[in-house]
Amino acid sequence: MTDVLVVGSGGREHALGWKLAQSKKIGKVYYAPGNGGTTNNISIAVDDIDGLAKFASGNNCLTVVGPETPLSMGIVDEFTKKGLRIFGPTKKAAQLESSKVWAKNFMKKHGILTAQFEIFDDAKKAKEYAKSVDYNLVVKADGLAAGKGVIVCNGSAEAVSAIDKMLVEKSFGTAGSKIILEQRIDGIEASYIALSDGDMAIPMATSQDHKRIFNNDKGPNTGGMGAYSPTPVISDSIAEQIQKNIIDKTVQSMKNDGILFKGFLYAGIMLKDHTPYVLEYNARMGDPECQPILMRMDSDLFDYVNASIDGTLSQSPPISWKKQSAVCVVLASKGYPDSYPKNEEITGLDMQDTHSVVFHAGTIRDNNKVMTSGGRVLGVTALGDSLQTAISNAYLRVKEISWPAKYYRTDIGKKGLLF
């Protein structure tokens, strides 16, 4: 039996640990630092790589990394040097996410379809360019910005304002010291996540995220307000295109460049005229996509984590999935993604049903009470024999849970009903 250390404190990490704990080959699952819904929490921060390595070594743990920050800092490189087993990409491989400039140049070099773009670190030149083009732009911060460093613009005035926000006002700190101006592709957005061992990649179930804070995709981007799986947006033929022309090409091109990508490879896709374009890469599982995907996974995740580390995915069978749909509705605190109240008591978590699991994110435990501690607080995730049933099951559970500043979108999954 192997013990596992899950690094992170969000809904994604709670879901990863929940799924891993179902394996008969795993003993204890620890979380560092975890949240109010996880057990065996270790108070080590995600960026304390030495502390995490000491704990993993002392407790003979295999480590699974959830969030992007420790990956971008090189946690995998450090653990590997110490002879510790760890799941996730190296610092060089994680550049696909930690630097959007690096990723765009990589796609351009290897002929991976993405929007046309220019890179700037000078606000005056960026604004001149924004005013000179006759199409809408998306302004992106180069570095990590917790899923919020992307501003989708209507017209040059909005682009100029976004440029000022990043390069002049430094709203995203050093993450926005370089920016990308790219042509806005209008289409249907979806998430495609695969599991790679550096040599090949096998697909996870398809999913679709809901990034904007308000219903009907209005308002600013967030880390994600909900997701569902599978999505009819990605047909079998489009999935084949994405796997061959994006995922496989990315893994092979990185290998040819001397970089092995191991771990979850996430491509944020925009579909226009049945053609998939890469909006961005993530070097880890999506959050909240992780929650409905893992609710539907029938296979033992631990087997695939080990195969990824060992480079033996080619010997693994395809992952088995439940035929049911799954929907995750994120419950946030009013004011997110800007400022929001904390330390409010959450009630209604005790209800049990066979359809749903409540994954914790921004929560802490105070004696016997669960309190809010973040913007995205919970991910209520439910299964159903159809997408509509999964949606209904999720929202039934959502209604049971409350705290004063509770906020959520009421249209998660509805995009999938249009097909």
Side-chain angles (χ1 to χ4, degrees), residues 325-388:
S325 287
V327 174
C328 172
V329 178
V330 170
L331 305 189
S333 284
K334 275 179 202 147
Y336 173 78
D338 298 316
S339 59
Y340 45 83
K342 291 182 184 176
N343 294 314
E344 295 185 337
E345 186 182 354
I346 306 166
T347 58
L349 289 170
D350 298 334
M351 190 191 106
Q352 297 294 319
D353 70 47
T354 53
H355 308 297
S356 67
V357 177
V358 178
F359 294 111
H360 288 236
T363 67
I364 51 167
R365 202 167 273 278
D366 183 3
N367 294 318
N368 290 324
K369 295 176 182 175
V370 178
M371 315 292 284
T372 66
S373 67
R376 290 190 299 166
V377 178
L378 301 167
V380 178
T381 309
L383 289 166
D385 288 336
S386 67
L387 177 55
Q388 182 60 70

Side-chain angles (χ1 to χ4, degrees), residues 86-409:
I86 184 164
F87 172 77
T90 61
K91 185 176 183 175
K92 266 189 177 171
Q95 284 179 111
L96 274 180
E97 176 170 13
S98 63
S99 170
K100 286 190 170 68
V101 167
W102 192 92
K104 290 294 271 191
N105 285 330
F106 169 83
M107 286 185 267
K108 189 176 179 180
K109 176 183 171 186
H110 294 289
I112 294 164
L113 208 52
T114 188
Q116 65 181 69
F117 67 97
E118 293 293 335
I119 296 158
F120 296 93
D121 57 10
D122 179 287
K124 185 167 175 278
K125 285 178 183 166
K127 288 185 214 176
E128 283 168 4
Y129 177 78
K131 289 170 187 168
S132 73
V133 297
D134 60 356
Y135 46 77
N136 286 320
L137 290 166
V138 180
V139 182
K140 295 181 172 181
D142 171 42
L144 297 174
K148 303 177 194 84
V150 174
I151 301 173
V152 180
C153 306
N154 288 307
S156 59
E158 284 188 17
V160 165
S161 165
I163 291 162
D164 274 335
K165 196 173 180 184
M166 290 190 194
L167 288 178
V168 180
E169 296 160 27
K170 311 276 188 214
S171 296
F172 297 98
T174 53
S177 55
K178 260 192 208 160
I179 62 168
I180 294 164
L181 301 189
E182 71 176 35
Q183 183 173 3
R184 190 175 104 189
I185 303 171
D186 293 313
I188 301 169
E189 202 173 332
S191 307
Y192 193 96
I193 301 166
L195 203 150
S196 173
D197 67 356
D199 194 45
M200 66 165 291
I202 54 174
M204 303 294 287
T206 62
S207 59
Q208 191 173 30
D209 186 14
H210 300 62
K211 282 220 165 294
R212 304 297 190 94
I213 187 69
F214 302 126
N215 279 6
N216 302 314
D217 295 331
K218 305 288 186 206
N221 266 340
T222 69
M225 290 303 295
Y228 70 98
S229 171
T231 174
V233 166
I234 300 179
S235 64
D236 288 349
S237 64
I238 287 171
E240 278 175 33
Q241 274 190 72
I242 295 170
Q243 184 69 33
K244 182 183 164 194
N245 300 332
I246 294 170
I247 298 296
D248 293 346
K249 204 170 183 182
T250 299
V251 171
Q252 285 308 313
S253 299
M254 290 198 85
K255 188 181 174 187
N256 294 342
D257 288 351
I259 303 168
L260 288 185
F261 189 102
K262 294 186 175 196
F264 290 119
L265 175 60
Y266 172 129
I269 300 291
M270 185 67 83
L271 291 167
K272 187 178 182 183
D273 303 328
H274 303 288
T275 303
Y277 293 79
V278 180
L279 292 178
E280 64 176 8
Y281 288 109
N282 289 334
R284 36 83 193 176
M285 182 59 103
D287 185 348
E289 295 98 329
C290 182
Q291 290 88 305
I293 288 173
L294 293 187
M295 280 280 279
R296 293 188 58 235
M297 187 178 184
D298 257 343
S299 303
D300 186 337
L301 177 61
F302 187 57
D303 289 342
Y304 291 86
V305 163
N306 277 312
S308 167
I309 295 168
D310 295 333
T312 57
L313 272 183
S314 61
Q315 298 161 35
S316 304
I319 296 171
S320 166
W321 301 99
K322 291 181 173 71
K323 288 189 167 60
Q324 294 162 296
S325 287
V327 174
C328 172
V329 178
V330 170
L331 305 189
S333 284
K334 275 179 202 147
Y336 173 78
D338 298 316
S339 59
Y340 45 83
K342 291 182 184 176
N343 294 314
E344 295 185 337
E345 186 182 354
I346 306 166
T347 58
L349 289 170
D350 298 334
M351 190 191 106
Q352 297 294 319
D353 70 47
T354 53
H355 308 297
S356 67
V357 177
V358 178
F359 294 111
H360 288 236
T363 67
I364 51 167
R365 202 167 273 278
D366 183 3
N367 294 318
N368 290 324
K369 295 176 182 175
V370 178
M371 315 292 284
T372 66
S373 67
R376 290 190 299 166
V377 178
L378 301 167
V380 178
T381 309
L383 289 166
D385 288 336
S386 67
L387 177 55
Q388 182 60 70
T389 308
I391 291 169
S392 301
N393 288 341
Y395 280 106
L396 274 172
R397 189 73 188 269
V398 162
K399 286 188 171 65
E400 301 286 331
I401 298 166
S402 69
W403 70 91
K406 171 185 159 189
Y407 168 77
Y408 59 96
R409 278 179 59 164

